[in-house]
Amino acid sequence: MKMQEASSMIGEIHKKIWHIKVPLTIRIFLWLLIRNSVLTKNYLKKRGWRKGNETCQFCDKKEAIQHLFFDWPMTRFTWNVVSCAFDLKPMKNVQHTLGAWTQNCDKVTKQLLLVAVAAVLWSTWKARNKVCFEQILPQDPTDILYRARSWMND
């Protein structure tokens, strides 16, 4: 029964993703994130990548979706700020953030929250890529928040 409930919840999240008012590129990114198919180092390693190691660009942990988007201290801080802004409990993972976080919200708040979640996830991914490809580290957790806020204003 639990497996069926989880599958149903993921199906609902997939539907939500395509209705978030964000660019298609970000909706596709969110879809890949839900499917655990974002090209983090551990995923690349599973697919036969041999050029590097699985270590996170920011710390000495293994780079995986859960670590990069939720457990890395900068993203944990960012999610705590977002959860305080919307008076929500801290998130646990992608499914919780896109699912349970929005269940008890009115339509307008739900749409705003989904855009904010998309902005934080996308900004985190862009910060990670900036480190990987340009060797430019974020100065502090507010860099991701400012990037997400600036993206939401566009």
Side-chain angles (χ1 to χ4, degrees):
M1 187 70 172
K2 284 237 184 224
M3 183 67 100
Q4 194 173 24
E5 287 174 12
S7 176
S8 172
M9 187 170 117
I10 289 173
E12 288 297 315
I13 293 169
H14 278 271
K15 289 177 191 173
K16 280 182 193 175
I17 287 171
W18 302 113
H19 297 290
I20 300 173
K21 293 180 178 159
V22 297
L24 181 60
T25 305
I26 297 171
R27 282 184 267 165
I28 292 168
F29 167 75
L30 293 173
W31 181 75
L32 289 169
L33 197 60
I34 294 295
R35 297 171 48 89
N36 290 319
S37 298
V38 170
L39 297 178
T40 55
K41 291 181 179 181
N42 76 320
Y43 185 77
L44 288 169
K45 202 78 161 171
K46 285 179 191 175
R47 299 195 66 195
W49 180 57
R50 307 242 186 269
K51 293 186 180 187
N53 61 40
E54 294 178 72
T55 307
C56 175
Q57 291 292 117
F58 304 108
C59 61
D60 61 347
K61 303 263 185 341
K62 185 193 276 191
E63 184 185 89
I65 288 173
Q66 182 65 34
H67 170 71
L68 182 63
F69 294 101
F70 299 97
D71 297 337
W72 174 46
M74 278 204 194
T75 52
R76 218 174 319 124
F77 172 84
T78 304
W79 288 120
N80 286 333
V81 170
V82 173
S83 66
C84 287
F86 287 94
D87 195 26
L88 298 164
K89 293 179 182 173
M91 61 46 233
K92 300 173 186 169
N93 55 38
V94 177
Q95 288 78 16
H96 181 246
T97 305
L98 291 169
W101 258 22
T102 62
Q103 282 180 344
N104 298 321
C105 299
D106 61 76
K107 190 175 180 176
V108 173
T109 305
K110 183 182 292 191
Q111 187 62 35
L112 181 61
L113 180 57
L114 287 171
V115 170
V117 166
V120 169
L121 291 169
W122 183 248
S123 297
T124 302
W125 183 244
K126 297 301 271 184
R128 179 260 189 199
N129 288 343
K130 201 168 194 86
V131 173
C132 285
F133 302 117
E134 299 173 32
Q135 287 73 47
I136 299 173
L137 284 165
Q139 298 301 309
D140 59 57
T142 59
D143 285 356
I144 292 173
L145 283 170
Y146 285 125
R147 186 172 301 179
R149 183 176 175 264
S150 128
W151 177 83
M152 287 175 68
N153 288 341
D154 288 344

